Amino acid sequence: MMIEGFVALYIFMLAAFTGYEVISKVPVILHTPLMSGSNFVHGIVLVGTMVALGHAATPLEQLVGFIAVVLAAGNAVGGYVVTERMLEMFKTSKGDK
């Protein structure tokens, strides 16, 4: 049983390292489209957590489901905020024309 935990930890660490390496190689101009795509995925995650919370039977499952919904919603909202800030960087000011 303990080995399964180590395998899960190893997979998580490998995924984090791979994600960091992939994202660090992306040019700055592509970050906004990638954030838009990831916001779509975060929305799907949010729907999944709400479905899981709806099927929760015990109070512990309901608590974990509620925490998952809160974290998923925060992640989706934060992604849209970051995308909006990035799009603001590309707008020209009216005095520059």
Side-chain angles (χ1 to χ4, degrees):
M1 183 90 173
M2 188 66 163
I3 296 297
E4 292 175 9
F6 283 120
V7 170
L9 181 63
Y10 176 74
I11 291 171
F12 175 76
M13 289 171 37
L14 186 61
F17 176 75
T18 303
Y20 175 78
E21 288 298 317
V22 168
I23 294 298
S24 67
K25 306 285 191 263
V26 174
V28 175
I29 195 73
L30 293 179
H31 278 263
T32 301
L34 287 175
M35 283 298 298
S36 176
S38 73
N39 288 340
F40 170 75
V41 173
H42 295 289
I44 294 172
V45 170
L46 179 57
V47 171
T49 59
M50 289 189 293
V51 169
L53 178 58
H55 291 307
T58 67
L60 179 62
E61 290 174 353
Q62 291 172 346
L63 176 66
V64 171
F66 176 76
I67 292 170
V69 168
V70 169
L71 291 175
N75 201 3
V77 170
Y80 284 108
V81 169
V82 168
T83 301
E84 185 63 31
R85 288 185 66 190
M86 291 177 78
L87 289 173
E88 287 292 323
M89 293 186 332
F90 292 105
K91 290 183 180 177
T92 59
S93 61
K94 292 180 181 179
D96 290 344
K97 289 184 179 181

